[in-house]
Amino acid sequence: MSIVLPAATGSAATFEAVSKYSAPTRRPIEPVGRYFLAHATRTLRGHTWSEYEKLEAEKNVTVVEENGDEDIGDEEQDEDLLAHDPREWKTADLYAVLGLSHLRWKATDDQIKRAHRKQVLKHHPDKKSASGGLEQDGFFKIIQKAMETMSDVTKRQQYDSVDTNADVVPPAPKSEYDFIEAWGPVFASEGRFSKKQPVPSLGDMNSTKEEVDAFYSFFGKFDSWKTFEFKDEDVPDDTSNRDHKRYIERKNVAARKKLKQEDNKRLIALVERAYSEDPRIKLFKDAAKAEKAKKKWDKEAGSRKAAEEEAAKKAAAEEAAKKAAEENANKKADSKKAKEAAKNAKKKAKRTIRAAAKEAEYFGDAAKSGDIDADVEYLVEKLDDVQLQTVSSKVAGGDATVTKSAFNEIAAELAGVGKLQAAHLKYFSA
Amino acid sequence: MFSSAIAVANADGKVDVIANPDGDRAIPSILSYVGVDEYHGAQAKAQLIRNPTNTIINFRDYIGKKYDEVDISASKLGAPAIQTEDGNIAYKIIREENKTEIVTVGEAVRRHLIQLKLAAEDYLGNDISEAVITVPTDFNEHQRTELVKFAGEAGLKVLQLVNEPSAALLAHLSATENKLLEDKTYVVADFGGIRSDAAVISVRGGILTELATAHEPHLGGDNLDDSLVEYFAKEFEKKFKVDPRKTARSLAKLKAESINVKRTLSNVQTSTCSIESLAEGFDFHTSINRLRYELTARSVFGKMTSFVEQVIKKAGLDPLDIDEVVLVGGTSHSPKLASNVSFVFPESTVVVAPTLDPKALDPSELICRGAALQASLIESFDEEEIKESLQPIVVNTQHLKKPIGIKDAEGNFVPILVAETAYPIKKSVNVTNGTNENVIIELYEGKRTIKETIIEPTPVSDAEDLDDDSDEEPEIQREVVYETGDLLAKLSLKDLKPNSELEVIVNITQNGVLHLSGRELKPGSVAVKGEITSA
C-alpha cells in the first residue's frame, strides 16, 4: 500500500523552507565493504551521485558483454569425423571434435570446458543408443580423448604443435598476390609458437625499415616451443620386452629431433622466401641506392662547383677577349673612317676655301686672281684642321666681303702666332 | 586464549577459512619451544601442561605496549612476561643446552605470523605477500603501526587494518544477498578467550558506522573454563581428599580437559571428563550435564549479558533500537550465552548464533572471513588509492542526527532518511495523492518515543498454575515510535489526477545541503525543488 499525501491548503508557494534540520554528528565510518569503497571513490574523485552511477553503469555493461560467447561448441562435425576410428584418435582434428575449429589454439580453458560439456550432451552413448543406434560410442571416445588432451597444458601444447589445420598456408610461389595480405596471417600463425611474446607483426607497406628489420631478425632468431611428442609411436606398456621398449623410446626421441630440425628448416626457408619477396625490402634497397647516389652527389658538390666556376671564368675570359678584339677592330675601322672623313672634310674645306675666292669673283679684282689664288693656296697650306673648317664655313656663303675679311682675319691670326709670314702674302693683308 | 584464523576469498567471492597443517581452523596463537623445535598452534597449546615456561601465550594485546602499561596476568599460565631494558615486554625461553633466549613480543608476533603465512601458502600453493589483518577497536595508533611493522618483518605487507567488529559484521552481512543494503543497527558482541569486546554498529546504505564500543579485559571463555575447573576440583577433592589446584601441572591438565568439556557441552547435553593421573596418581572420571554446567557458570553468563546491555547504553540507545545481535568468538558457541542475550532484546531482534540459527556462520571464523572479503575488495586498488581512502577526510563523515521523513494523510511520520546515515545521502519514496487534486509534502524531523502498551495476561484456566507469580504480572510491550517533530519544509504539487504516482526525493550532499524534490511519475513532468541547510 502506498503512502497517501495530505491535501494542500492552497498556499501559493510551491516550496517553502521552514526551519533548519538538526546539526549532524561527525563520526568515522568503518572503512570496510564495497559501499565504503564506493563512498571513498566518490569523495576522492568528487563524483556526484549521478556521475558515479553513470560510471558504475558503464562498468556493468562490459561485464555483460564478456559473457557473450554462448554459442561456443555449437559447430556441427562432418560425417567423416563422426565415423573416425577411435583407435586412430590422434589423426582426428581434435578441435573440430570439440566444435572449436574456428578458435583452435586461441580457445580459452573456459571455452574448451563449455564446448566439451556441449559435445558430451550431444554425443553421449546413452543418448545415441536411446535413438536406436548401437555401438555408437566411437565418437564419444574421441571427445573424451580430445578433452584429455586439451585440459592438460602440456598435452595441449603438444597437440597445438602438430595442429597443421591451424597453420596458414603461404601463397604459392611465382603467383600474383598482395604481400601483406598473404603473408601477414602466415607469420601471425607461426608467431604463436614463439617462446618470446609478444611477436612483432609483419606490419604494412608503410612500416619503417627498423620495424621490418626487427621483424625479420625476430623470425630469423625464432625460438619455438614446438614439440613433437604427439607424433610419438606408442611405447608398449608391457614390461616383458624392455629392450624393445627402449628401442621405441629412442626411436621416438630421434624422430622428434628430426621433426624439430625439419620444422626449424621449414621456418627458415619460409622467412627467407618472404624476405626475398617482400616488396618493402626492394623499396628499401631502391631507397638505399638513391640515398647513396644522393650522398655521392652531395660529397662531390665542392669539386663540381669549383669546376663550374673555372669553366664560367674561362668562358667569361674568352668572351672578354673576343669582345676586346672586336672592339679593337671596330675602333680601327672607326678611326680609319674618321680619318678618312676628316681627310674628306679637310679636302672639302680646302676645296671650298680654294673655290671661295673664285666664287667671290676675286673680290672684284679679277686681275689679281693669280695673286689671290697663290695667297689662298698659301693660307690653306698653313691652316690646321679646325681653322680649315671655320674658314670654309665662313667663306662658303660666296659673299665677297665676308670671304675677303675671313681670309684677312685668318691671315692676321696665323701671322699673329707666327705661322705665316705676312710678307709672303701678295693680296691679303695680315 | 587468543586464537588466529586465516581465510582467503576466491574469485567468485566465496571465502575459505584455511586450516593449518594440524587441521585447525581456529589456530591457537601460541608458540612453544622445546630444544631446537618450535611448536605452534594446537601443538604448542598441548605443551602448556608439560612445558608451560617455554610456551608463549596471549601476546597479542602486548603489541606496542610498555611493560608498565599492561596487566601481565594474562600470561601467568605460560612463559612469564619480563621487562626488557627499554621497558618493552619479552619472554624468557630456555632452548637447547640451557641457553636462554629473550623473545620480545614483536618477535613472537613475527614468528606467529610466519607460521600462519606458511599454513596459508601450503593451502593455496602460491606465495603470499599481502594481507588484511584485523585488530580490536581499542588498539591505538601506535599499536597498529607496530603490528604493521611486525607483519612487514614476517614478509606480509598489510594492505589494511580492519576493526574486528566491522570485519565480523561485514562477513555476516555479505553471507546473505543484499543484506548490506538494509538500514539496520547491529550489536557485534565478541566473546573471546580472555577478553570480550562489543560494538554497536549502524549500517546505512551499505556503510558501517561504529556508534559505541566496549571492552572487558577479564571476561571470556577462560572464566567459563575456570568455573568448570573449580567445579571439577571440588568433585575431585571430595573423592580423593587431594586439591588438584595446588600443583601447576594438575591445574593445567584440569584446565585443558575443562576446555574440552565446555566445547562438548555446546553441542550435546552431557559430557564426560576423564583425566588420567590428575593429582598424586589419582585418575579422575566424571560426567556433567549442560544444566549443571550452566548453573556453575551462571555468574559469568550474567556478566556477559550485562556487558552487552552496557554497550547499548553507551551508544545512547535502547535494546529496542537494535535490529540484530551478532555473536562472535569461540564462546558464542555456548547455547546459554545466546539464549541469555536474546532475553535482553525484544522478540523482533534477531540474535545470530550457531545454537539459535543453524545456518549462521561459525562465530570464531566471522572476523577473518570479513578480513578476507575486504582483502578481495581492495585487491584491485593500488596501495596509493587504499591509503587515500583511509584518510580522515574520507573516513570522518557527517552523520544525520535525527530521522527525516514526510507526513502522510493520517498525520503519521513516514521516515525517508534514517538517523546515523553518513553523508551524502539520496533516497526516494513513491507516494500517491489519493483523491486530492493538490497535495502538500511536509518534511519533518522525526521525534523518537517509546510506546508502552500493557498486555493483560490471558487468564489461565488451570488453577494449579496460579501460585506461579510471574504469570500474574502484566506484560509490557515496548515499541519505538517516531512522531513528527520539527517541520523543516513544505512543498506542494498541484493539479494532479486522482491516484497519480508521485516521487519524493530527499538528497543531502557532502556539504550538508538538503535538497527536497517532488514530481509526478510521468514523462515530461517538472519536478518542484527546494533546499534547506542544517543548523
Side-chain angles (χ1 to χ4, degrees), chain A residues 1-45 47 49-50 53 59, chain B residues 160 162-163 166 170 180-181 206 208-210 374 377 385 389-390 394-399 401-402 407-409 420 423-424 431-432 436 438-440 445 487-492 494 512 530 532-535:
Chain A
M1 201 202 114
S2 55
I3 303 146
V4 182
L5 288 176
T9 46
S11 70
T14 48
F15 179 82
E16 189 190 336
V18 178
S19 62
K20 293 182 168 184
Y21 67 98
S22 311
T25 33
R26 204 172 188 82
R27 292 181 196 275
I29 57 176
E30 286 299 297
V32 293
R34 66 194 169 97
Y35 295 98
F36 165 75
L37 291 173
H39 168 86
T41 320
R42 265 198 315 269
T43 314
L44 290 172
R45 307 275 177 281
H47 289 149
W49 278 96
S50 50
E53 276 160 14
K59 270 188 210 162
Chain B
Q160 192 186 345
V162 179
N163 286 337
S166 314
L170 182 69
L180 196 55
L181 279 177
L208 282 64
T209 307
E210 272 179 7
Q374 181 66 11
L377 287 174
E385 272 180 299
S389 301
L390 299 179
V394 179
V395 171
N396 290 343
T397 315
Q398 305 280 28
H399 285 68
K401 198 163 197 175
K402 288 180 181 173
K407 194 162 85 167
D408 69 4
E420 297 302 347
Y423 290 7
V431 294
T432 178
N436 304 316
N438 300 332
V439 289
I440 185 155
E445 250 179 13
L487 178 65
L488 299 178
K490 285 190 232 170
L491 189 151
S492 53
K494 308 209 155 152
I532 55 170
T533 53
S534 70

Side-chain angles (χ1 to χ4, degrees), chain B residues 139-187:
Chain B
F139 251 44
N140 60 32
E141 255 338 286
H142 177 62
Q143 285 182 290
R144 283 167 201 248
T145 45
E146 285 286 292
L147 176 57
V148 171
K149 196 182 89 191
F150 297 148
E153 285 166 8
L156 282 173
K157 196 165 90 190
V158 178
L159 292 179
Q160 192 186 345
L161 290 177
V162 179
N163 286 337
E164 283 174 355
S166 314
L169 190 57
L170 182 69
H172 170 65
L173 296 179
S174 303
T176 325
E177 187 124 359
N178 280 337
K179 187 145 192 198
L180 196 55
L181 279 177
E182 289 168 17
D183 291 351
K184 284 184 174 177
T185 308
Y186 296 84
V187 168

Side-chain angles (χ1 to χ4, degrees), chain A residues 181-352:
Chain A
E181 227 169 76
W183 284 94
V186 175
F187 282 109
S189 114
E190 287 297 336
R192 72 181 194 268
F193 297 115
S194 175
K195 279 182 189 165
K196 248 188 272 167
Q197 293 285 357
V199 177
S201 81
L202 183 61
D204 53 31
M205 287 310 283
N206 300 323
S207 300
T208 63
K209 189 168 187 301
E210 284 73 31
E211 282 164 7
V212 175
D213 284 349
F215 171 79
Y216 281 111
S217 87
F218 181 89
F219 273 94
K221 290 182 280 188
F222 196 75
D223 191 4
S224 153
W225 51 256
K226 256 194 193 182
T227 54
F228 293 91
E229 275 92 344
F230 197 79
K231 291 202 167 162
D232 281 358
E233 193 180 326
D234 284 335
V235 178
D237 224 8
D238 53 350
T239 46
S240 58
N241 196 341
R242 221 166 17 174
D243 284 343
H244 179 64
K245 197 173 154 187
R246 284 191 185 151
Y247 165 71
I248 299 280
E249 272 170 359
R250 265 202 306 278
K251 216 168 95 180
N252 277 339
V253 170
R256 269 181 235 155
K257 210 169 160 191
K258 200 174 154 215
L259 282 169
K260 178 89 178 167
Q261 272 172 352
E262 271 169 15
D263 186 65
N264 285 345
K265 238 185 253 169
R266 178 194 62 88
L267 184 70
I268 290 169
L270 193 75
V271 174
E272 273 173 2
R273 198 190 133 202
Y275 187 80
S276 69
E277 288 174 20
D278 194 337
R280 292 173 301 177
I281 298 294
K282 206 167 161 258
L283 283 180
F284 293 142
K285 267 187 189 156
D286 288 351
K289 216 186 252 171
E291 177 75 5
K292 209 172 159 190
K294 192 173 170 262
K295 251 195 198 144
K296 201 174 166 195
W297 180 260
D298 286 351
K299 215 164 84 187
E300 287 166 356
S303 57
R304 203 172 53 243
K305 205 175 171 191
E308 243 170 39
E309 271 169 12
E310 189 79 358
K313 232 187 219 167
K314 211 170 157 189
E318 267 170 17
E319 183 82 358
K322 206 173 155 191
K323 218 174 172 182
E326 225 168 61
E327 253 170 31
N328 264 353
N330 279 350
K331 225 191 237 163
K332 253 184 200 163
D334 279 354
S335 66
K336 216 173 175 181
K337 255 185 205 162
K339 259 184 198 164
E340 256 166 36
K343 231 177 179 173
N344 285 344
K346 224 165 145 182
K347 266 185 191 162
K348 207 177 163 190
K350 277 182 184 170
R351 215 183 299 136
T352 316

Side-chain angles (χ1 to χ4, degrees), chain B residues 249-268:
Chain B
R249 189 148 177 192
S250 303
L251 191 63
K253 272 185 170 179
L254 194 53
K255 177 126 187 164
E257 186 61 18
S258 297
I259 294 172
N260 282 337
V261 169
K262 179 186 76 176
R263 287 191 181 158
T264 315
L265 285 176
S266 294
N267 298 314
V268 293

Side-chain angles (χ1 to χ4, degrees), chain A residues 53-300:
Chain A
E53 276 160 14
K54 227 189 261 172
L55 289 175
E56 283 297 296
E58 274 167 23
K59 270 188 210 162
N60 288 341
V61 168
T62 42
V63 172
V64 170
E65 274 172 5
E66 272 169 2
N67 303 332
D69 50 1
E70 282 302 313
D71 55 347
I72 205 85
D74 276 351
E75 287 174 11
E76 289 290 330
Q77 289 84 4
D78 60 27
E79 290 295 315
D80 288 349
L81 191 58
L82 289 173
H84 200 90
D85 184 355
R87 278 167 299 179
E88 297 293 321
W89 66 274
K90 277 196 172 185
T91 54
D93 181 348
L94 299 187
Y95 280 114
V97 166
L98 291 177
L100 289 168
S101 59
H102 64 296
L103 287 169
R104 310 209 80 93
W105 58 278
K106 288 181 195 120
T108 62
D109 290 347
D110 180 52
Q111 284 169 329
I112 289 172
K113 217 187 274 168
R114 278 191 284 154
H116 172 245
R117 220 168 276 155
K118 269 197 190 160
Q119 300 311 325
V120 167
L121 283 177
K122 222 156 77 183
H123 298 284
H124 199 277
D126 288 357
K127 211 168 190 181
K128 291 274 160 171
S129 59
S131 62
L134 283 169
E135 302 281 321
Q136 290 264 335
D137 61 344
F139 188 66
F140 186 72
K141 279 181 183 158
I142 300 179
I143 292 174
Q144 296 307 77
K145 279 288 183 191
M147 187 56 191
E148 201 180 286
T149 310
M150 294 305 162
S151 53
D152 184 301
V153 180
T154 332
K155 280 189 187 163
R156 189 173 173 200
Q157 260 190 5
Q158 289 171 1
Y159 180 71
D160 281 343
S161 299
V162 297
D163 182 18
T164 44
N165 288 317
D167 289 344
V168 181
V169 187
K174 285 175 199 153
S175 60
E176 290 265 323
Y177 60 85
D178 181 277
F179 182 81
I180 301 293
E181 227 169 76
W183 284 94
V186 175
F187 282 109
S189 114
E190 287 297 336
R192 72 181 194 268
F193 297 115
S194 175
K195 279 182 189 165
K196 248 188 272 167
Q197 293 285 357
V199 177
S201 81
L202 183 61
D204 53 31
M205 287 310 283
N206 300 323
S207 300
T208 63
K209 189 168 187 301
E210 284 73 31
E211 282 164 7
V212 175
D213 284 349
F215 171 79
Y216 281 111
S217 87
F218 181 89
F219 273 94
K221 290 182 280 188
F222 196 75
D223 191 4
S224 153
W225 51 256
K226 256 194 193 182
T227 54
F228 293 91
E229 275 92 344
F230 197 79
K231 291 202 167 162
D232 281 358
E233 193 180 326
D234 284 335
V235 178
D237 224 8
D238 53 350
T239 46
S240 58
N241 196 341
R242 221 166 17 174
D243 284 343
H244 179 64
K245 197 173 154 187
R246 284 191 185 151
Y247 165 71
I248 299 280
E249 272 170 359
R250 265 202 306 278
K251 216 168 95 180
N252 277 339
V253 170
R256 269 181 235 155
K257 210 169 160 191
K258 200 174 154 215
L259 282 169
K260 178 89 178 167
Q261 272 172 352
E262 271 169 15
D263 186 65
N264 285 345
K265 238 185 253 169
R266 178 194 62 88
L267 184 70
I268 290 169
L270 193 75
V271 174
E272 273 173 2
R273 198 190 133 202
Y275 187 80
S276 69
E277 288 174 20
D278 194 337
R280 292 173 301 177
I281 298 294
K282 206 167 161 258
L283 283 180
F284 293 142
K285 267 187 189 156
D286 288 351
K289 216 186 252 171
E291 177 75 5
K292 209 172 159 190
K294 192 173 170 262
K295 251 195 198 144
K296 201 174 166 195
W297 180 260
D298 286 351
K299 215 164 84 187
E300 287 166 356

